[in-house]
Amino acid sequence: AQSVTQPDIHITVSEGASLELRCNYSYGATPYLFWYVQSPGQGLQLLLKYFSGDTLVQGIKGFEAEFKRSQSSFNLRKPSVHWSDAAEYFCAVGARSQGNLIFGKGTKLSVKP
Amino acid sequence: GAGVSQSPSNKVTEKGKDVELRCDPISGHTALYWYRQSLGQGLEFLIYFQGNSAPDKSGLPSDRFSAERTGGSVSTLTIQRTQQEDSAVYLCASSMNSGANVLTFGAGSRLTVL
């Protein structure tokens, strides 16, 4: 079955600290991978995507993610977190031939001053 | 339009009533998606349209849920005889086509069923 697992429901980091959010997927076809961010009361905003090529992808707001096929993972990282990064983060998987994306349940990020 | 527009932003209804939620996608986007977001449940896929056709209705939770899209643009999600478990945020997204997969989301319609 196709699925996305985000093992951490809630993470708290200090401002300025580094961040890694985990994402594992189970998918039969070659996956397209995405990270979205949702601020309170807002829709989802695309942070970055991986379709093919370089397995380290850069996104907006200083985020990056690395696709590791052997581990079925697509973890999101940021070297230094800002208070404005507090939000909920969703990993998603799709495919060229499939219309919809499958989302994980999200990781809520809190940032301590 | 410049973004995906959803209305109403908030809807409170009584159990048993019908509700309609509207989505106006980005101009030129041929694919349109409906998701449901319940507390702690992530995003649950409901249905997607390519043009006016719905190739995948597999996510609709019951026959009380239906959706249509006319003119390849605006879509309406209808929930008949609402139940309390239908309370959620209903998110709409659009993309240039169903193979592109980069979805742009609206702000959502929050439905509360009393």
Side-chain angles (χ1 to χ4, degrees), chain A residues 11-82:
Chain A
I11 285 181
T12 299
V13 300
S14 298
E15 191 167 16
S18 63
L19 170 70
E20 182 169 28
L21 302 182
R22 296 182 290 165
C23 173
N24 292 96
Y25 66 89
S26 173
Y27 203 75
T30 300
Y32 289 177
L33 294 158
F34 305 80
W35 276 98
Y36 282 84
V37 61
Q38 185 179 37
S39 299
Q42 303 295 312
L44 278 73
Q45 179 184 21
L46 179 69
L47 280 177
L48 47 77
K49 63 185 184 291
Y50 171 79
F51 284 176
S52 65
D54 191 345
T55 56
L56 183 64
V57 293
Q58 302 297 320
I60 62 170
K61 305 184 181 185
F63 285 91
E64 66 177 26
E66 186 171 13
F67 170 52
K68 293 186 177 180
R69 185 185 300 274
S70 62
Q71 298 178 18
S72 297
S73 70
F74 189 58
N75 293 349
L76 182 71
R77 301 193 293 249
K78 185 169 185 178
S80 177
V81 170
H82 188 263

Side-chain angles (χ1 to χ4, degrees), chain B residues 50-79:
Chain B
Q50 179 57 48
N52 293 333
S53 301
D56 189 350
K57 304 179 183 179
S58 62
L60 293 176
S62 76
D63 59 7
R64 296 187 295 105
F65 287 72
S66 63
E68 65 174 13
R69 189 180 187 194
T70 56
S73 181
V74 172
S75 176
T76 302
L77 177 68
T78 301
I79 309 173

